[in-house]
């Protein structure tokens, strides 16, 4: 009986934690986001959604990559529209938001660790 109650309270706590994370992510929807990936490219677009695996979808995204040949601009860019960026490829992720929201997200990261 005691273990069932402990399991239920543990489940409730994980649901509460999960819904807390979801609430934070929902606040970031439809904001400008910059995502860097392992091969050196980065994408700027509107944060559209994130799945449970951590894959991100950007809307109206633009891809930027460095050029190796001599050109007036050190970066090339092209519009890619809607793009899915797998969690395994992502190295950085930045969202344009207010300072208090950034602090709130930092505290969320510290609790997670």
């Amino acid at each position: 009986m005691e273990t069932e109650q402990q399991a239920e309270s543990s489940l409730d706590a994980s649901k509460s934690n999960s819904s807390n994370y979801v609430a934070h992510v929902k606040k970031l929807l439809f904001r400008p986001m910059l995502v860097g990936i392992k091969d050196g490219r980065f994408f700027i677009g509107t944060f559209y959604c994130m799945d449970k695996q951590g894959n991100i979808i950007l809307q109206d995204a633009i891809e930027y990559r460095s050029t190796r040949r001599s050109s007036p601009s050190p970066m090339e860019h092209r519009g890619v529209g809607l793009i899915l960026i797998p969690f395994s490829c992502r190295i950085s992720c930045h969202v344009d938001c207010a300072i208090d929201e950034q602090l709130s997200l930092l505290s969320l990261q510290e609790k997670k660790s």
Side-chain angles (χ1 to χ4, degrees):
M1 184 78 129
E2 213 171 285
T3 56
E4 285 178 20
Q5 289 175 346
Q6 288 173 345
E8 284 179 17
S9 67
S10 173
L11 184 60
D12 289 342
S14 72
K15 283 182 182 178
S16 173
N17 252 356
S18 177
S19 63
N20 193 18
Y21 294 142
V22 169
H24 279 291
V25 171
K26 280 184 176 182
K27 289 180 184 178
L28 302 176
L29 287 174
F30 309 111
R31 294 185 185 223
M33 178 181 276
L34 181 140
V35 179
I37 61 173
K38 291 179 180 177
D39 66 4
R41 294 179 294 161
F42 62 95
F43 299 88
I44 297 176
T46 304
F47 179 43
Y48 190 70
C49 70
M50 174 186 268
D51 62 12
K52 287 182 180 181
Q53 291 78 27
N55 303 316
I56 290 177
I57 294 182
L58 296 180
Q59 183 178 0
D60 301 325
I62 299 172
E63 171 194 32
Y64 290 88
R65 64 186 180 102
S66 64
T67 57
R68 295 222 160 49
R69 51 199 149 90
S70 60
S71 70
S73 172
M75 299 295 283
E76 285 183 348
H77 68 280
R78 67 184 178 122
V80 291
L82 196 65
I83 184 169
L84 182 138
I85 301 169
F87 174 77
S88 61
C89 295
R90 199 173 72 225
I91 59 171
S92 65
C93 187
H94 305 277
V95 177
D96 189 17
C97 60
I99 297 290
D100 58 339
E101 289 172 310
Q102 289 178 11
L103 292 173
S104 168
L105 290 171
L106 285 174
S107 68
L108 180 66
Q109 267 184 337
E110 289 171 3
K111 289 177 188 175
K112 189 177 171 185
S113 304

